[in-house]
Amino acid sequence: MSHPTEPASIVVLASGRGSNFRALCEAAARGRLPAKIGALVTNVCGVGACDVAREFGVPVIEVPHAGLKRAEHEHKLFDALARLKFDWLVLAGYMRLFTPSFIDRFYDQTRQASRVVNIHPSLLPAFPGVDGYGQALRYGVKYAGATVHLVGAGLDDGPIVAQRVVEVRDDDTEETLRERGLAVEHELYAAALKDLIARPWRIGHGKLEGGRPRVVFEGGKNEHD
Ligand code: GRF
């Protein structure tokens, strides 16, 4: 891990349009995120995230999954990542599940935490899986949101770093809710990563038996609040 005062190095994994990736590139370029984005790795050649990478001068590494078994693809992905040096592997719309053994390879023993971070479009543990905003609308909840979490072995689990609420309006459609949600994600992701990089933190364990661990920031004010 980098010393907290040094910029961290980040590798981003994305499969799609890349609006979160763009927000991270902008935050890094404007000094709001003390990080250097060393590479974009994608499993889908030519997606929007690749255009964003070119715009910001970030090298693109393509590791397509098409036609490969999960284990074969993960093997290639790990080989590609092993050639890079980074502190954080940041998922920004990476639309594939990892096996627990892949995630294990990025486990930091000292911190007892994964070095893989994800943003999910719901207030976890509500609405894991795909289409968080659509699920929120279908369930009729009044508040949706976004969660930044360290990646655990199961679907959308692992210690929560930061969450932000997005109100569901009576006249929302999936499109309008997603649009407001993404705007919140873009701010939240950069702020939560900044906190992980620059602030002291530890993993706090659930207050109740079987509870989900959470990232506990020590002292001072969080950027992501
Ligand atoms: C975002 O909603 C993110 O929370 C989820 O996938 C979506 C990616 O969107 N994991 P984009 O590619 O960053 O625009």
Side-chain angles (χ1 to χ4, degrees), residues 26-44:
E26 282 171 356
R30 292 180 187 159
R32 280 188 286 112
L33 175 63
K36 176 168 171 31
I37 302 180
L40 169 76
V41 181
T42 184
N43 60 318
V44 189

mmCIF file of all heavy atoms in Angstrom, residues 26-44:
data_model
loop_
_atom_site.group_PDB
_atom_site.id
_atom_site.type_symbol
_atom_site.label_atom_id
_atom_site.label_comp_id
_atom_site.label_asym_id
_atom_site.label_seq_id
_atom_site.Cartn_x
_atom_site.Cartn_y
_atom_site.Cartn_z
ATOM 1 N N GLU A 26 -11.744 12.374 -13.977
ATOM 2 C CA GLU A 26 -11.867 13.823 -13.765
ATOM 3 C C GLU A 26 -11.416 14.194 -12.355
ATOM 4 O O GLU A 26 -10.707 15.183 -12.163
ATOM 5 C CB GLU A 26 -13.318 14.270 -13.997
ATOM 6 C CG GLU A 26 -13.633 14.382 -15.477
ATOM 7 C CD GLU A 26 -15.108 14.613 -15.782
ATOM 8 O OE1 GLU A 26 -15.936 14.607 -14.833
ATOM 9 O OE2 GLU A 26 -15.435 14.757 -16.974
ATOM 10 N N ALA A 27 -11.834 13.394 -11.378
ATOM 11 C CA ALA A 27 -11.463 13.698 -9.984
ATOM 12 C C ALA A 27 -9.942 13.629 -9.819
ATOM 13 O O ALA A 27 -9.342 14.467 -9.142
ATOM 14 C CB ALA A 27 -12.157 12.730 -9.039
ATOM 15 N N ALA A 28 -9.315 12.641 -10.449
ATOM 16 C CA ALA A 28 -7.854 12.516 -10.346
ATOM 17 C C ALA A 28 -7.175 13.692 -11.051
ATOM 18 O O ALA A 28 -6.217 14.280 -10.535
ATOM 19 C CB ALA A 28 -7.397 11.190 -10.935
ATOM 20 N N ALA A 29 -7.709 14.068 -12.231
ATOM 21 C CA ALA A 29 -7.092 15.166 -12.997
ATOM 22 C C ALA A 29 -7.222 16.491 -12.249
ATOM 23 O O ALA A 29 -6.338 17.347 -12.336
ATOM 24 C CB ALA A 29 -7.757 15.271 -14.366
ATOM 25 N N ARG A 30 -8.310 16.662 -11.502
ATOM 26 C CA ARG A 30 -8.531 17.937 -10.798
ATOM 27 C C ARG A 30 -8.011 17.933 -9.363
ATOM 28 O O ARG A 30 -8.286 18.866 -8.608
ATOM 29 C CB ARG A 30 -10.019 18.270 -10.790
ATOM 30 C CG ARG A 30 -10.495 18.582 -12.191
ATOM 31 C CD ARG A 30 -11.935 18.914 -12.275
ATOM 32 N NE ARG A 30 -12.279 19.014 -13.686
ATOM 33 C CZ ARG A 30 -13.500 18.900 -14.166
ATOM 34 N NH1 ARG A 30 -14.519 18.697 -13.343
ATOM 35 N NH2 ARG A 30 -13.722 19.009 -15.461
ATOM 36 N N GLY A 31 -7.351 16.861 -8.975
ATOM 37 C CA GLY A 31 -6.758 16.817 -7.628
ATOM 38 C C GLY A 31 -7.759 16.489 -6.527
ATOM 39 O O GLY A 31 -7.433 16.584 -5.349
ATOM 40 N N ARG A 32 -8.985 16.093 -6.900
ATOM 41 C CA ARG A 32 -9.963 15.714 -5.866
ATOM 42 C C ARG A 32 -9.761 14.276 -5.413
ATOM 43 O O ARG A 32 -10.291 13.866 -4.389
ATOM 44 C CB ARG A 32 -11.396 15.893 -6.394
ATOM 45 C CG ARG A 32 -11.889 17.321 -6.362
ATOM 46 C CD ARG A 32 -13.365 17.414 -6.703
ATOM 47 N NE ARG A 32 -13.619 17.209 -8.116
ATOM 48 C CZ ARG A 32 -14.255 16.145 -8.627
ATOM 49 N NH1 ARG A 32 -14.696 15.189 -7.835
ATOM 50 N NH2 ARG A 32 -14.445 16.038 -9.925
ATOM 51 N N LEU A 33 -9.012 13.515 -6.199
ATOM 52 C CA LEU A 33 -8.726 12.123 -5.852
ATOM 53 C C LEU A 33 -7.214 11.945 -5.908
ATOM 54 O O LEU A 33 -6.615 12.087 -6.985
ATOM 55 C CB LEU A 33 -9.422 11.196 -6.870
ATOM 56 C CG LEU A 33 -9.143 9.701 -6.747
ATOM 57 C CD1 LEU A 33 -9.647 9.165 -5.409
ATOM 58 C CD2 LEU A 33 -9.832 8.948 -7.893
ATOM 59 N N PRO A 34 -6.580 11.678 -4.755
ATOM 60 C CA PRO A 34 -5.113 11.598 -4.743
ATOM 61 C C PRO A 34 -4.634 10.258 -5.303
ATOM 62 O O PRO A 34 -4.116 9.414 -4.571
ATOM 63 C CB PRO A 34 -4.782 11.756 -3.251
ATOM 64 C CG PRO A 34 -5.988 11.245 -2.528
ATOM 65 C CD PRO A 34 -7.177 11.451 -3.419
ATOM 66 N N ALA A 35 -4.837 10.090 -6.591
ATOM 67 C CA ALA A 35 -4.525 8.791 -7.194
ATOM 68 C C ALA A 35 -4.088 8.959 -8.632
ATOM 69 O O ALA A 35 -4.502 9.892 -9.317
ATOM 70 C CB ALA A 35 -5.773 7.898 -7.151
ATOM 71 N N LYS A 36 -3.260 8.009 -9.065
ATOM 72 C CA LYS A 36 -2.910 7.936 -10.475
ATOM 73 C C LYS A 36 -3.621 6.705 -11.030
ATOM 74 O O LYS A 36 -3.516 5.609 -10.463
ATOM 75 C CB LYS A 36 -1.390 7.785 -10.624
ATOM 76 C CG LYS A 36 -0.984 7.606 -12.064
ATOM 77 C CD LYS A 36 0.507 7.741 -12.244
ATOM 78 C CE LYS A 36 0.976 7.348 -13.640
ATOM 79 N NZ LYS A 36 0.074 7.568 -14.740
ATOM 80 N N ILE A 37 -4.365 6.910 -12.116
ATOM 81 C CA ILE A 37 -5.077 5.782 -12.717
ATOM 82 C C ILE A 37 -4.154 5.176 -13.766
ATOM 83 O O ILE A 37 -3.923 5.755 -14.830
ATOM 84 C CB ILE A 37 -6.431 6.229 -13.308
ATOM 85 C CG1 ILE A 37 -7.266 6.872 -12.185
ATOM 86 C CG2 ILE A 37 -7.164 5.029 -13.932
ATOM 87 C CD1 ILE A 37 -8.631 7.378 -12.571
ATOM 88 N N GLY A 38 -3.581 4.026 -13.426
ATOM 89 C CA GLY A 38 -2.504 3.455 -14.234
ATOM 90 C C GLY A 38 -2.984 2.721 -15.473
ATOM 91 O O GLY A 38 -2.263 2.619 -16.458
ATOM 92 N N ALA A 39 -4.193 2.184 -15.427
ATOM 93 C CA ALA A 39 -4.712 1.432 -16.579
ATOM 94 C C ALA A 39 -6.211 1.212 -16.435
ATOM 95 O O ALA A 39 -6.753 1.198 -15.328
ATOM 96 C CB ALA A 39 -4.019 0.075 -16.684
ATOM 97 N N LEU A 40 -6.851 1.061 -17.589
ATOM 98 C CA LEU A 40 -8.223 0.558 -17.643
ATOM 99 C C LEU A 40 -8.130 -0.854 -18.199
ATOM 100 O O LEU A 40 -7.531 -1.074 -19.252
ATOM 101 C CB LEU A 40 -9.088 1.402 -18.585
ATOM 102 C CG LEU A 40 -10.455 0.767 -18.878
ATOM 103 C CD1 LEU A 40 -11.404 0.941 -17.705
ATOM 104 C CD2 LEU A 40 -11.069 1.317 -20.147
ATOM 105 N N VAL A 41 -8.723 -1.789 -17.501
ATOM 106 C CA VAL A 41 -8.793 -3.160 -18.013
ATOM 107 C C VAL A 41 -10.257 -3.452 -18.302
ATOM 108 O O VAL A 41 -11.122 -3.196 -17.454
ATOM 109 C CB VAL A 41 -8.226 -4.167 -16.989
ATOM 110 C CG1 VAL A 41 -8.288 -5.587 -17.554
ATOM 111 C CG2 VAL A 41 -6.787 -3.810 -16.618
ATOM 112 N N THR A 42 -10.535 -3.925 -19.504
ATOM 113 C CA THR A 42 -11.915 -4.228 -19.863
ATOM 114 C C THR A 42 -12.035 -5.636 -20.414
ATOM 115 O O THR A 42 -11.100 -6.156 -21.024
ATOM 116 C CB THR A 42 -12.478 -3.204 -20.872
ATOM 117 O OG1 THR A 42 -13.858 -3.515 -21.107
ATOM 118 C CG2 THR A 42 -11.724 -3.228 -22.193
ATOM 119 N N ASN A 43 -13.207 -6.224 -20.185
ATOM 120 C CA ASN A 43 -13.483 -7.561 -20.734
ATOM 121 C C ASN A 43 -14.310 -7.473 -22.012
ATOM 122 O O ASN A 43 -14.645 -8.488 -22.597
ATOM 123 C CB ASN A 43 -14.236 -8.417 -19.705
ATOM 124 C CG ASN A 43 -15.559 -7.802 -19.302
ATOM 125 O OD1 ASN A 43 -15.644 -6.591 -19.099
ATOM 126 N ND2 ASN A 43 -16.589 -8.603 -19.192
ATOM 127 N N VAL A 44 -14.695 -6.232 -22.403
ATOM 128 C CA VAL A 44 -15.507 -6.052 -23.617
ATOM 129 C C VAL A 44 -14.811 -4.996 -24.488
ATOM 130 O O VAL A 44 -14.783 -3.808 -24.132
ATOM 131 C CB VAL A 44 -16.946 -5.593 -23.290
ATOM 132 C CG1 VAL A 44 -17.808 -5.643 -24.544
ATOM 133 C CG2 VAL A 44 -17.581 -6.449 -22.195
#
